[in-house]
Amino acid sequence: MQKGMLLGALMVVQSAVAQTEPVAPPAAKAPAAAKAPAAQPTAEELLAQADRGQNGFQSFVVDVRITNYVREKVDKVTNYQVFIKGGDRSLVKFVDAEDQGKFLLTVDEFMWIYLRSASRPVRVTPLQRLSGNASNGDVAQTSLVENYQAVAMTEEVLDGKPVYVLDMVAKRKSATYQGTRYWIAKDTRLPVKAEFKLGSGKPSKRAIFAEYQTVDGRQVLRRQEIYDLLRNEEKSVLEYSNYVRRELPDKMFNKNFRQEL
């Protein structure tokens, strides 16, 4: 009897002690790992991404309309159909009735114009004017990667939006401009502005990439404006429409092939 009473008393004491001992708080959860910031793109990566916005697709056709303005009044409108394959081959077909039979062919570093009155193509340069402020190269040379190399990359804010700024020099003498500066939107990686320089380094033109459109899931140029910095009264508006991805035959870009399109 005494043994049972002693055991009961011991259990009561143990229970009381257990109730008075402090209870350890639950272990705190480890804080979630901070999200790593996006990797800073290299100048080469930015240039390739910007190129896709201007160059469209590997092989495609697009219509280009150029409207030239002098003192804000329409001076002339010209129309072209442009065939592009890769980064170094293009064929510009002149569409307007008065220009029927004219073509501008670019293959690698060489450019020729075909005239109905001439039996042989005539060598021309990318810097020669095609229409208004738009030169041959503005329409026919589309690949930034093929023609330019980035030498510096900075960041700034343009019209309230963060942009990357690429300073570039020509890789080859046949590039339309020997120096360019591109402003590329951080969010879309698409060009929003460009400045083109003469061989002396003096800025000669400014381009505003005003509008893009979605074709087959890719953002491609719809409208750009080119301003002549030496003739402040002039500007040219280039509008791009009817993009069609098409496998183009190699013979189309053969200098000796007489185009029949």
Side-chain angles (χ1 to χ4, degrees):
M1 180 68 178
Q2 291 180 350
K3 183 178 181 181
M5 293 177 63
L6 183 60
L7 181 60
L10 182 60
M11 291 177 64
V12 170
V13 172
Q14 288 176 336
S15 176
V17 171
Q19 291 179 8
T20 58
E21 286 182 349
V23 179
K29 292 183 178 180
K35 188 176 181 180
Q40 181 82 346
T42 66
E44 291 73 18
E45 289 170 340
L46 273 180
L47 188 58
Q49 290 168 337
D51 211 359
R52 286 194 288 271
Q54 288 191 243
N55 203 32
F57 307 93
Q58 182 65 21
S59 184
F60 69 102
V61 183
V62 62
D63 293 337
V64 180
R65 168 173 288 203
I66 302 178
T67 304
N68 300 310
Y69 294 83
V70 176
R71 292 187 292 275
E72 297 302 323
K73 292 184 178 180
V74 175
D75 179 57
K76 187 177 182 181
V77 178
T78 53
N79 295 277
Y80 309 88
Q81 190 173 34
V82 184
F83 302 80
I84 294 175
K85 188 168 186 175
D88 59 357
R89 288 183 289 178
S90 69
L91 179 71
V92 179
K93 177 183 178 181
F94 292 61
V95 174
D96 298 321
E98 64 269 27
D99 291 323
Q100 288 291 316
K102 292 174 66 175
F103 297 91
L104 182 67
L105 175 66
T106 302
V107 178
D108 195 22
E109 298 190 39
F110 305 99
M111 183 176 285
W112 302 268
I113 191 167
Y114 294 75
L115 305 172
R116 179 176 292 179
S117 58
S119 59
R120 297 170 64 86
V122 178
R123 279 287 300 272
V124 292
T125 69
L127 198 55
Q128 288 177 248
R129 286 178 178 253
L130 178 66
S131 179
N133 295 333
S135 67
N136 291 335
D138 290 328
V139 176
Q141 278 191 348
T142 58
S143 176
L144 296 173
V145 171
E146 291 289 336
N147 288 287
Y148 298 99
Q149 177 180 1
V151 294
M153 182 176 77
T154 56
E155 298 180 28
E156 63 180 58
V157 175
L158 178 67
D159 297 330
K161 296 182 179 180
V163 295
Y164 295 106
V165 184
L166 287 184
D167 285 294
M168 299 183 287
V169 295
K171 284 183 180 179
R172 48 193 185 182
K173 293 181 179 179
S174 62
T176 307
Y177 307 100
Q178 292 306 298
T180 70
R181 171 174 283 188
Y182 264 73
W183 286 257
I184 300 170
K186 275 193 172 185
D187 54 353
T188 64
R189 304 288 172 86
L190 294 172
V192 292
K193 177 182 172 182
E195 194 173 82
F196 307 114
K197 301 177 182 179
L198 300 172
S200 63
K202 183 177 181 179
S204 62
K205 292 182 188 178
R206 177 179 297 120
I208 303 297
F209 304 100
E211 191 176 351
Y212 288 86
Q213 57 191 309
T214 302
V215 178
D216 289 347
R218 176 177 292 183
Q219 289 285 294
V220 291
L221 193 59
R222 182 198 293 273
R223 183 172 182 269
Q224 74 163 309
E225 301 168 0
I226 299 180
Y227 295 85
D228 190 326
L229 301 180
L230 306 178
R231 301 177 180 85
N232 294 328
E233 296 178 337
E234 298 181 10
K235 76 172 181 179
S236 295
V237 176
L238 283 68
E239 297 171 283
Y240 303 80
S241 62
N242 301 321
Y243 282 88
V244 177
R245 298 177 72 169
R246 184 193 302 176
E247 188 58 40
L248 301 172
D250 289 336
K251 68 178 182 180
M252 181 181 289
F253 306 97
N254 185 324
K255 180 174 75 75
N256 299 316
F257 177 67
R258 192 68 181 181
Q259 304 295 336
E260 295 292 344
L261 301 176

